């Protein structure tokens, strides 16, 4: 099975598992997925993540976060897709849910939240919205 958009696949796994109140997810590893998970952890949307090696297959284990038995991530939405890339300049970076959510941006300085990209004065590709 070929995976056309591994980031979208990861976001869908997170969304589906939170809808079923699962505590953990195991997905295939990639550096960009790990960077997105780092931001989700820093912003408080997931409990933790770790890289695991299972018979020479590198995986990522994600521990999801809940508050009063409801998922912390209300919605996670892929914006830029392989078929249609969405780029924004620093002055046009999106504001998600009136600053209650975040946008994850791929910039020339690495993957970061929209707040950090604004602070650094750089734009980039909008990967996803999380709120």
């Amino acid at each position: 099975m070929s995976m056309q958009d591994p980031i979208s696949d990861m976001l869908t796994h997170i969304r589906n598992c939170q809808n079923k109140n699962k505590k953990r997810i195991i997905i295939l590893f990639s550096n960009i997925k790990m960077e997105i998970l780092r931001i989700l952890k820093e912003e408080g949307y997931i409990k933790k993540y770790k890289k695991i090696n299972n018979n020479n297959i590198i995986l990522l284990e994600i521990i999801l976060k809940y508050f009063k038995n409801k998922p912390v991530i209300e919605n996670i939405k892929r914006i830029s897709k392989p078929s249609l890339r969405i780029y924004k300049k620093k002055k046009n970076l999106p504001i998600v849910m009136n600053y209650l959510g975040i946008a994850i941006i791929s910039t020339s300085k690495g993957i970061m939240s929209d707040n950090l990209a604004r602070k650094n004065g750089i734009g980039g590709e909008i990967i996803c919205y999380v709120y």
Side-chain angles (χ1 to χ4, degrees):
M1 177 177 162
S2 108
M3 195 180 315
Q4 298 298 320
D5 188 5
I7 296 169
S8 185
D9 187 56
M10 177 184 76
L11 300 179
T12 301
H13 269 85
I14 291 172
R15 191 180 316 110
N16 290 343
C17 288
Q18 284 202 315
N19 287 339
K20 294 184 183 264
N21 291 323
K22 292 194 173 187
K23 301 278 187 230
R24 72 189 265 260
I25 307 169
I26 296 179
I27 59 172
L28 288 174
F29 172 83
S30 79
N31 285 325
I32 192 164
K33 289 179 189 177
M34 196 162 82
E35 285 299 304
I36 292 169
L37 292 174
R38 178 187 57 81
I39 293 167
L40 291 175
K41 168 81 171 90
E42 286 172 0
E43 296 288 336
Y45 288 104
I46 61 173
K47 275 190 184 177
K48 64 181 179 176
Y49 66 95
K50 69 179 178 180
K51 190 165 123 175
I52 53 178
N53 192 343
N54 187 9
N55 296 327
N56 294 327
I57 298 173
I58 303 173
L59 303 168
L60 283 168
E61 179 184 33
I62 309 165
I63 308 298
L64 299 172
K65 191 173 185 179
Y66 295 89
F67 180 73
K68 293 185 179 179
N69 292 325
K70 293 197 177 196
V72 172
I73 299 173
E74 187 177 311
N75 197 356
I76 189 164
K77 183 179 178 186
R78 180 81 156 120
I79 302 302
S80 188
K81 300 173 184 168
S83 60
L84 180 63
R85 302 285 184 187
I86 307 293
Y87 295 94
K88 297 289 181 183
K89 294 182 179 180
K90 63 182 176 184
K91 63 182 177 184
N92 296 330
L93 287 175
I95 297 170
V96 181
M97 294 285 293
N98 206 15
Y99 294 104
L100 293 176
I102 63 166
I104 298 177
I105 316 286
S106 177
T107 70
S108 58
K109 307 243 188 230
I111 296 175
M112 59 184 72
S113 69
D114 59 329
N115 295 328
L116 190 56
R118 243 183 240 101
K119 186 175 163 184
N120 291 333
I122 52 178
E125 181 183 355
I126 311 299
I127 296 175
C128 64
Y129 294 157
V130 183
Y131 54 91

